[in-house]
Amino acid sequence: MPSSLPSFLTATKGDLQKAAQLLAEGECVALPTETVYGLAADALNPSALKKVFTIKGRPLIDPLIVHVLDIEALKKIAEYDSRLEKISCFWPGPLTVVLRRKSCVPDLVTASQETVAVRVPAHPLFREILSLVNRPLAAPSANPFGYVSPTRAQHVRDSLSERCPWIVDGGPCRHGLESTIIDLSSPHKVRLLRPGPITLESLREKLGEIEVVTKVAPAQDAQVAPGMLERHYSPTTRVELFAHGAMPASTEKNSAILFLSRRKDFSLTAEIFYLSENNSITEAAANLFDLLRKLDTRGFAKIYVERAESAELGLAYNDRLTRAAAR
Ligand code: TXA
Ligand code: MG
């Protein structure tokens, strides 16, 4: 069937203006960020925000991250917190901060809570569009709710198709895992809600003690950080994890194994894939969602994936894998 969908918008001035114009008119546009592709909409326009939830099939209790150009723009939607000075070195970049909201922020963004999640993204195309629209942009990952986040323009097309005709292609995302989320909404405590590319270690260096919020199991707690729901980021194929440096104990027939780096001399009957060529967790993280999506179309009975050491970026990598494997 020939597709009547528009081709991807690119980095040309005309295309970026087109994207900005669509957003200003209340449409949704998928945009590249340095973490994953986001499904962007005007964060101050409730009817545009509604479309985001509909396109993703996302429950309204799951609040959105608002993207702004800089701290000046942040101050218009959130209460400034002096601890931001200590972490401003991570911006623009893959760090999201939960702050007290300002009243101009629609309830749809915050799931009617008193807090709003804000991020200053680094991707040059996203930033160019932010400055053309001159408004904050809400953007969840551009995937159907619960599926693996997109790290390439084609991933967005594959899973949202005509639900999201407008996609800006900025190439593969550099980090490939969603931003780190910390909660600064309470004055005396910092909580890590989602591990990500800005590591817990580097945040503790700047902020001191940080409480790590782990699994938020039942849906009624979803507003804490529904990204923390146990099953999330899941491919359709069953995923099973095995320890870093080890082998799966046994493998089912017609399965795939994803190793973090090259292995030799082993005898397992499965198709073998490598997340990194040179034992780099950064490279493995950047490839993880792309490879999971590819393997998910191959009809394997199971995908076995190697865990990383649980430190630095390995924390975020293991977090996403654990969710992908949750049933
Ligand atoms: O890297 C990213 O953060 C990407 C790119 C597009 O920026 N966005 C992203 O958005 O991952 P999303 O919606 O897939 O994940 C946002 C997470 C959700 O788990 C949501 O619950 C949490 O942020 N969140 C949003 N607002 C919050 C708030 N006020 N309090 C606590 N958690 C919040
Ligand atoms: Mg998401």
Side-chain angles (χ1 to χ4, degrees), residues 130-152:
L130 266 176
S131 67
L132 287 170
V133 189
N134 198 20
R135 282 181 158 250
L137 292 174
S141 50
N143 50 294
F145 183 70
Y147 194 62
V148 182
S149 292
T151 57
R152 292 160 188 260

Side-chain angles (χ1 to χ4, degrees), residues 33 35-38 56 58 62-65 67 96 98 113 115-117 119 139-141 177-179 181 193-194 222-228:
T33 85
T35 58
V36 300
Y37 274 73
K56 276 185 65 86
R58 180 174 171 121
D62 197 352
L64 304 174
I65 295 176
H67 300 67
T96 296
V98 174
Q113 300 178 95
T115 58
V116 61
R119 163 158 127 77
S141 50
L177 298 180
E178 302 84 349
S179 63
I181 306 181
L193 301 184
R194 181 172 74 184
Q223 58 271 36
V224 180
M228 312 219 35

Side-chain angles (χ1 to χ4, degrees), residues 164-297:
C164 178
W166 299 106
I167 301 170
V168 175
D169 187 358
C173 299
R174 185 151 78 92
H175 298 291
L177 298 180
E178 302 84 349
S179 63
T180 307
I181 306 181
I182 56 169
D183 182 358
L184 293 185
S185 65
S186 120
H188 305 299
K189 137 177 120 175
V190 182
R191 300 192 311 155
L192 178 77
L193 301 184
R194 181 172 74 184
I198 302 297
T199 64
L200 182 58
E201 291 85 346
S202 62
L203 286 165
R204 280 188 170 141
E205 251 170 53
K206 305 286 179 190
L207 292 167
E209 201 188 321
I210 299 179
E211 180 194 335
V212 177
V213 178
T214 38
K215 210 162 48 190
V216 180
Q220 66 263 29
D221 285 342
Q223 58 271 36
V224 180
M228 312 219 35
L229 288 176
E230 195 178 356
R231 183 153 195 266
H232 205 79
Y233 313 103
S234 307
T236 313
T237 315
R238 281 179 303 147
V239 172
E240 186 176 309
L241 309 183
F242 60 94
H244 179 62
M247 293 278 173
S250 64
T251 50
E252 278 182 30
K253 226 171 89 187
N254 182 32
S255 54
I257 307 179
L258 252 73
F259 287 113
L260 265 172
S261 56
R262 290 263 163 209
R263 296 285 187 96
K264 41 184 185 208
D265 306 331
F266 58 86
S267 56
L268 283 169
T269 47
E271 263 195 68
I272 308 297
F273 300 88
Y274 297 99
L275 284 159
S276 162
E277 285 300 325
N278 49 22
N279 205 6
S280 146
I281 180 69
T282 311
E283 187 191 354
N287 287 329
L288 178 66
F289 289 163
D290 181 49
L291 204 47
L292 281 180
R293 278 175 171 264
K294 275 190 188 126
L295 298 189
D296 207 18
T297 65

